[in-house]
Amino acid sequence: MKPQHLTAKPGEVAEKVLAVGDPARAKMVAEKYLEEAKLVSSNRELLVYTGKYNGEEVSVAVHGIGGPSAAIVFEELRMLGAKLIVRLGTAGSLRKEIGVPEPIVVTGASYYEGGVLGVYSPNTCLSTSPDPILTSHIAKTFSQRNVNYHLGPVISNDAFYAESENFAEYWAKRGMVAVEMECATLFALGWMRGFKTGAVVVTADSLVDPSKKDLLHHEQLAPVMEKVTEALLDAI
Ligand code: GMP
């Protein structure tokens, strides 16, 4: 099947893709870090830019919010030639020791039964870990560049407004460090479809610090996001 949402043509998506939720972040990465950046798809705000970083082709793509939107974009990026997709996103902290905004190198993703992955694989659990070698390489690159980071698994949840104090306690007790919405879908599809995956999320809010409960937006996250973007582009 050919892509039904992204309008990029074959050859216009790089083998290496940075995937982000926010179109403003995609624009920032393309304008600030890619040489000769070209907008190759803009249907439904699912922007895809392709350009060069240190002489190598890289695309930055918007996956939207939540598993269903992200699954469509990851599937279509793969159809268009992506072989590695790294998510650069945001998350809500589930730990007192993880402040806002701070980066987390994601080592795995839990998810609830059902949802988009339940349709791909009814009554069974998919493997939702990122590529281990790529992930350790990202962590090493961050250390070498003196970008402080946390490390741990996230819960990829579909219902933003159903995240209560109990929700935070439940998932923190089970080892998760943050909540976001797309990593499980990315990692599962990577193993199913044969592309490498990884993810770094920057905390934009906290479920355990009431003074940080409101989401930080693009401009407020920009200084940390830019440091993380540079380290991540170097790593991939
Ligand atoms: O605001 C929702 C978007 O940002 C989604 O794409 C999530 O991946 C991410 N996100 C950032 N903070 C949170 C949070 O506290 N809860 C959830 N569900 N998603 C978050």
Side-chain angles (χ1 to χ4, degrees):
M1 200 173 190
K2 68 179 197 332
Q4 303 292 307
H5 304 82
L6 303 185
T7 53
K9 294 180 198 68
E12 287 186 329
V13 169
E15 289 190 2
K16 294 180 177 179
V17 180
L18 211 58
V20 304
D22 184 350
R25 194 173 321 130
K27 203 158 174 270
M28 178 280 284
V29 175
E31 283 172 0
K32 203 156 180 162
Y33 297 100
L34 300 188
E35 296 138 37
E36 302 163 36
K38 192 177 150 209
L39 183 65
V40 295
S41 187
S42 58
N43 188 30
R44 288 180 177 255
E45 297 283 303
L46 299 171
L47 312 179
V48 183
Y49 294 89
T50 298
K52 287 193 172 150
Y53 183 77
N54 283 342
E56 220 192 313
E57 261 214 343
V58 178
S59 293
V60 52
V62 176
H63 57 54
I65 292 183
S69 170
I72 287 173
V73 173
F74 301 145
E75 290 271 28
E76 295 190 10
L77 288 169
R78 187 199 61 96
M79 290 174 203
L80 290 161
K83 295 198 163 35
L84 175 153
I85 304 178
V86 175
R87 166 165 147 72
L88 168 61
T90 58
S93 171
L94 296 177
R95 303 292 178 119
K96 287 250 157 64
E97 66 274 17
I98 303 183
V100 180
E102 291 180 7
I104 301 169
V105 176
V106 181
T107 57
S110 286
Y111 65 102
Y112 284 87
E113 268 184 356
V116 66
L117 294 183
V119 180
Y120 275 100
S121 186
N123 305 317
T124 46
C125 297
L126 290 163
S127 176
T128 47
S129 52
D131 183 88
I133 295 166
L134 176 61
T135 300
S136 92
H137 183 64
I138 290 170
K140 215 185 276 171
T141 308
F142 275 42
S143 300
Q144 281 162 356
R145 297 188 56 117
N146 295 318
V147 179
N148 292 331
Y149 62 89
H150 303 275
L151 203 62
V154 298
I155 163 69
S156 297
N157 182 38
D158 287 344
F160 183 90
Y161 287 108
E163 290 164 5
S164 59
E165 259 173 46
N166 287 346
F167 171 95
E169 197 188 332
Y170 181 93
W171 285 107
K173 269 192 185 148
R174 283 158 181 78
M176 305 310 133
V177 298
V179 51
E180 53 80 75
M181 302 179 74
E182 299 86 11
C183 280
T185 303
L186 173 64
F187 301 158
L189 281 175
W191 295 119
M192 282 173 70
R193 302 292 193 223
F195 57 87
K196 285 188 183 167
T197 66
V200 176
V201 290
V202 174
T203 49
D205 57 302
S206 172
L207 281 76
V208 289
D209 177 353
S211 72
K212 299 278 164 65
K213 71 173 170 27
D214 292 325
L215 276 179
L216 297 183
H217 291 287
H218 177 66
E219 297 74 29
Q220 298 156 302
L221 290 169
V224 175
M225 217 29 118
E226 286 173 14
K227 252 171 70 178
V228 169
T229 303
E230 233 177 306
L232 200 50
L233 283 168
D234 278 346
I236 66 168

